[in-house]
Amino acid sequence: MKKPSYKEALSKLKMSEDFKDRTIAMLEREQRKMEEQQSKGAITMHTANQPKRNKWTAWTVGVAACAVLAVGIVAFNGNDGSAVPTPGPGSGVVDTQQPAPPTTGKAQVNIDGVIEEVGADGKSFRIGELWVTVTDETLYGIPGSTAPDASEQLVSKEFKVGNTVSGFTSDDVASGKVTAVRIYNNF
């Protein structure tokens, strides 16, 4: 069994030597041809790209592409100038005569913190150094069209130590004692 594989290896080696010999012979022929052409002074060189011709071709193709785009844009818009688009839903034109949709925003808060102490009346509490008094005119909850329902808001009229409170007063909070205009949350 070793003999056929040995013979096969030798034949492959012989083939590769034959290939090598043929390649060298072909290269020598090519070299002789080039030397003959060089001695005649007629070496023909072929360039892959021709700069002037390619430049004009590129410009021509670019201009044609721009023209096609321009025609496509005009055709796609379909506006011949005779009809003015009317405002409405889905038209992409804004009607400035309609009222603006409701916007969301942050409420002004200057009472904010955790209740540390509640007064004997249950209607006043202390957050840090600030005493806040709640009256019958104090409003509860978050107002506005985008506010959640009153049942979903975290606000209670009962004040307890440890509750988190946010609200607003028109009084000066630096005075240390204020009356709440609105309580946004108390939980």
Side-chain angles (χ1 to χ4, degrees):
M1 222 180 201
K2 289 185 180 181
K3 286 187 179 183
S5 63
Y6 174 73
K7 286 182 181 179
E8 190 176 317
L10 280 177
S11 74
K12 283 185 182 180
L13 182 65
K14 194 170 188 178
M15 278 192 213
S16 67
E17 285 178 10
D18 288 343
F19 177 75
K20 181 179 170 185
D21 291 340
R22 284 185 300 195
T23 305
I24 289 173
M26 184 183 73
L27 289 173
E28 286 174 349
R29 280 193 307 258
E30 289 290 324
Q31 186 176 7
R32 270 188 253 124
K33 277 185 188 177
M34 286 187 70
E35 286 173 356
E36 286 174 11
Q37 287 178 351
Q38 205 172 20
S39 65
K40 292 179 185 177
I43 298 177
T44 57
M45 299 187 71
H46 300 283
T47 57
N49 55 359
Q50 299 160 347
K52 287 185 181 179
R53 183 174 167 197
N54 284 345
K55 185 187 270 187
W56 283 106
T57 304
W59 273 97
T60 305
V61 168
V63 169
C66 289
V68 168
L69 283 173
V71 169
I73 290 171
V74 169
F76 181 72
N77 285 340
N79 189 358
D80 60 355
S82 63
V84 176
T86 58
S91 70
V93 179
V94 178
D95 188 4
T96 57
Q97 303 300 322
Q98 296 292 327
T103 58
T104 59
K106 292 184 177 182
Q108 187 175 6
V109 176
N110 55 7
I111 301 170
D112 194 29
V114 178
I115 297 175
E116 296 173 357
E117 184 180 346
V118 177
D121 60 355
K123 294 289 185 182
S124 60
F125 54 90
R126 182 174 60 85
I127 300 174
E129 299 294 320
L130 180 66
W131 273 96
V132 180
T133 304
V134 178
T135 63
D136 294 334
E137 292 149 9
T138 301
L139 302 171
Y140 291 90
I142 301 169
S145 60
T146 59
D149 294 333
S151 62
E152 295 177 9
Q153 295 185 25
L154 301 172
V155 65
S156 170
K157 293 186 179 184
E158 184 180 336
F159 298 98
K160 298 178 183 174
V161 173
N163 279 9
T164 301
V165 177
S166 294
F168 171 73
T169 181
S170 56
D171 299 338
D172 183 19
V173 290
S175 67
K177 187 167 177 133
V178 295
T179 302
V181 173
R182 184 173 286 275
I183 300 294
Y184 297 118
N185 62 23
N186 173 25
F187 61 96

